[in-house]
Amino acid sequence: MNQSINGRAISLSRLPNSDAALPYAAAIIGAALSFGMSSHWLAAVGIGAFVYYFVRLLQEAGRDLPIESFILVMASLQWIVGPALAYSGFSDHYKYRMYVPVEQYMTLAVPGVLLLSIGLYAFRRENRFALVSHYIATTHQIVKRAAYLPFYLIGVGIVFSVLVDRFPPALAFPAYVLSNVKYIGLVYLIFSDRLQYKGGILIAAFGLTFLSSLKGAMFHDLLLWSAFIGMYAAFIFRPKFGHKLLIACLGFAFIFVLQASKDLYREKLQEGGRSDFVSKFVSSVEERLDTDPLSESNNLERLVVRINQGWIISRIMQNVPDRIPHAEGETVATAVKASLLPRLLFPDKPIAGGKKNYEKYTNFYLQSSTSMGISLLGEAYINYGVAGAWLFMLIFGLVSSFVINRFFKLARTYPTIWLWFPLILLHFVKAETELLVQLNFLVKSIVLVYLFVWANKYFLKLNI
């Protein structure tokens, strides 16, 4: 199918057979190369799986909206690659280390991720590119009729971003969701054909968002939203595979430098306040590079610690069931119940965030300002053990695939709903979050997005 936006021909089609074989070939090569460096053959298989998901993500970008592959890249990176590097000696942190033998951990993690991928890809339609092509054309027409719409959404998001800390706790979540509408506005902007300098505008928007993240010293959402917006931008700019790989490598280098300098930067903010935060960040990068080149083991360890969610899972495996019995589905039932029932009907509804389960099952305690999660894989093991966790990951993948597929079908009735997927599924791509956080955010964000769209249509006569 061919569409034209801003003079660019948008052609979405299936991958040629030779390209379809590339992820498998890359996975085999990745597994073979890592086999000699990995401390266990299952770790090499897991690294091969990560390479497969990563190459498939790059291939799909610009042809499809690769939500499933993005979820799997994040999961395999944090549950397999990070732990494999830690087991191989790239991290020897006194606390953020692996607590069980490599064979025991990888026996849980690698089959768990593979089964999650089987589930996630299960309901994915082979001709989804045709649906996406239709949605692109429809989105283009909607934005063409209301050229101000992207700027309106960006403005709403900026207003709530400025005011988010001033809302009472009961309204903090709706304010946070609406603050992210600015990113959805950027996605709408991508499909406008009235602006000749969209690339420059997107770069400027990234710069402003980076400054905002820099001031708060929190970068996770910045990186996730950059990836999401890049997926939509790929439909318009149509980068070749090599260009997408280069962009990914540059992004990785940016994350490496950011991670190497982040701790020192936060120390400077604590000591001198947040004034001149840009100069503090620049000086932190310069000092870190002067004292520890990027190739130094300290910087490599910082990166491995950051991408290694497996240390928490391994700590859970050390404690469960020897010191703490399996939950036998308790946290899963609580998560489902809490996501569907308001606090009025569920007085003991837990607070989403993960702190309670993290402290209970790791026996480590967090400061009030710190938040860590046990992850979906860790929660599956807590409840059902190794074999039960495998089955849980498969079922979760199947349910997630069904939900994503339904969202794509819903776009036939509400054509631009596919632009809101990143906001609705924001916590589904975070490998560190537990089920309560994922379901709670999913349900609440769906309700809030629906109310936002309805309110704009009813009061402002604005079709979003």
Side-chain angles (χ1 to χ4, degrees):
M1 283 193 174
N2 293 288
Q3 309 292 341
S4 178
I5 298 179
N6 204 28
R8 295 178 182 268
I10 308 301
S11 176
L12 304 186
S13 58
R14 296 178 183 175
L15 287 169
N17 291 334
S18 57
D19 288 348
L22 180 59
Y24 297 98
I28 293 171
I29 294 172
L33 291 176
S34 62
F35 184 75
M37 298 181 291
S38 300
S39 48
H40 193 266
W41 68 270
L42 264 177
V45 172
I47 291 173
F50 165 76
V51 173
Y52 172 84
Y53 305 137
F54 177 71
V55 172
R56 183 164 174 172
L57 171 66
L58 295 183
Q59 283 188 323
E60 291 170 346
R63 288 188 172 97
D64 195 354
L65 192 63
I67 297 291
E68 300 92 343
S69 296
F70 189 39
I71 292 173
L72 291 168
V73 165
M74 297 296 291
S76 57
L77 176 66
Q78 295 183 256
W79 296 344
I80 297 175
V81 176
L85 292 173
Y87 279 120
S88 298
F90 287 93
S91 173
D92 192 28
H93 195 277
Y94 76 96
K95 180 179 180 180
Y96 306 133
R97 59 184 177 86
M98 304 304 293
Y99 288 86
V100 297
V102 59
E103 180 177 1
Q104 182 181 353
Y105 176 80
M106 290 298 173
T107 299
L108 168 69
V110 176
V113 171
L114 293 176
L115 288 167
L116 175 64
S117 69
I118 291 173
L120 274 173
Y121 289 132
F123 292 102
R124 184 169 180 165
R125 298 166 61 97
E126 290 186 5
N127 65 336
R128 197 166 77 183
F129 65 86
L131 290 176
V132 172
S133 183
H134 171 68
Y135 300 155
I136 289 173
T138 306
T139 301
H140 172 224
Q141 293 301 319
I142 290 174
V143 176
K144 186 176 182 179
R145 289 195 299 267
Y148 60 87
L149 180 57
F151 301 100
Y152 165 71
L153 295 174
I154 292 171
V156 169
I158 290 175
V159 169
F160 277 94
S161 296
V162 172
L163 300 178
V164 66
D165 293 331
R166 302 184 183 182
F167 283 88
L171 297 177
F173 183 83
Y176 169 72
V177 171
L178 291 174
S179 71
N180 283 297
V181 169
K182 60 181 178 287
Y183 300 117
I184 305 302
L186 287 174
V187 174
Y188 274 79
L189 183 64
I190 289 171
F191 294 97
S192 170
D193 64 353
R194 296 195 178 188
L195 294 174
Q196 302 297 320
Y197 305 104
K198 284 184 284 190
I201 292 175
L202 290 174
I203 292 173
F206 174 83
L208 292 174
T209 305
F210 175 70
L211 290 176
S212 176
S213 298
L214 200 60
K215 187 174 183 179
M218 300 296 290
F219 303 97
H220 197 181
D221 281 358
L222 166 70
L223 300 175
L224 285 179
W225 277 108
S226 297
F228 277 127
I229 292 173
M231 292 180 195
Y232 289 96
F235 289 118
I236 306 303
F237 297 103
R238 305 294 292 161
K240 296 179 180 179
F241 181 85
H243 294 157
K244 289 184 279 189
L245 181 60
L246 176 61
I247 293 171
C249 291
L250 290 174
F252 178 79
F254 172 76
I255 294 171
F256 197 1
V257 172
L258 190 65
Q259 189 59 41
S261 311
K262 187 172 64 175
D263 293 341
L264 181 58
Y265 171 62
R266 287 176 173 173
E267 290 176 8
K268 288 179 179 290
L269 291 181
Q270 290 179 350
E271 294 172 359
R274 298 185 184 273
S275 60
D276 298 327
F277 62 92
V278 175
S279 61
K280 287 184 173 68
F281 177 75
V282 173
S283 64
S284 298
V285 173
E286 291 176 345
E287 289 178 31
R288 185 66 75 193
L289 294 180
D290 287 341
T291 57
D292 293 322
L294 291 181
S295 58
E296 288 291 321
S297 60
N298 287 341
N299 287 326
L300 291 173
E301 182 177 70
R302 290 186 187 96
L303 180 65
V304 172
V305 166
R306 182 62 188 90
I307 66 173
N308 180 15
Q309 179 70 20
W311 80 266
I312 297 176
I313 300 172
S314 69
R315 176 68 175 181
I316 291 170
M317 297 177 74
Q318 185 186 53
N319 289 332
V320 179
D322 290 347
R323 300 171 188 170
I324 306 171
H326 286 292
E328 305 293 346
E330 179 183 352
T331 72
V332 175
T334 299
V336 174
K337 184 179 177 182
S339 64
L340 297 177
L341 296 179
R343 194 169 296 276
L344 180 65
L345 301 178
F346 188 6
D348 298 327
K349 183 176 180 176
I351 299 175
K355 182 178 179 180
K356 180 179 179 181
N357 283 333
Y358 171 87
E359 292 183 342
K360 177 179 179 180
Y361 291 103
T362 65
N363 201 31
F364 290 142
Y365 296 93
L366 298 172
Q367 297 177 353
S368 58
S369 59
T370 305
S371 178
M372 288 188 178
I374 56 176
S375 80
L376 189 68
L377 183 62
E379 185 166 7
Y381 174 80
I382 285 169
N383 283 278
Y384 307 114
V386 174
W390 296 343
L391 180 60
F392 178 87
M393 298 304 291
L394 174 63
I395 294 173
F396 181 84
L398 289 169
V399 173
S400 300
S401 179
F402 177 78
V403 170
I404 293 171
N405 187 52
R406 295 302 302 174
F407 277 139
F408 269 101
K409 289 184 177 180
L410 185 63
R412 293 175 176 173
T413 306
Y414 304 97
T416 58
I417 191 65
W418 75 294
L419 304 183
W420 295 79
F421 288 176
L423 180 54
I424 295 171
L425 299 173
L426 183 61
H427 278 276
F428 265 65
V429 303
K430 294 183 177 182
E432 67 271 21
T433 53
E434 60 185 45
L435 187 63
L436 172 61
V437 176
Q438 291 181 329
L439 293 182
N440 190 58
F441 191 93
L442 176 70
V443 172
K444 287 184 176 180
S445 62
I446 289 175
V447 173
L448 287 170
V449 167
Y450 173 80
L451 290 175
F452 180 77
V453 172
W454 174 83
N456 278 277
K457 183 176 182 179
Y458 184 79
F459 295 105
L460 300 180
K461 310 301 180 184
L462 182 62
N463 289 317
I464 295 179

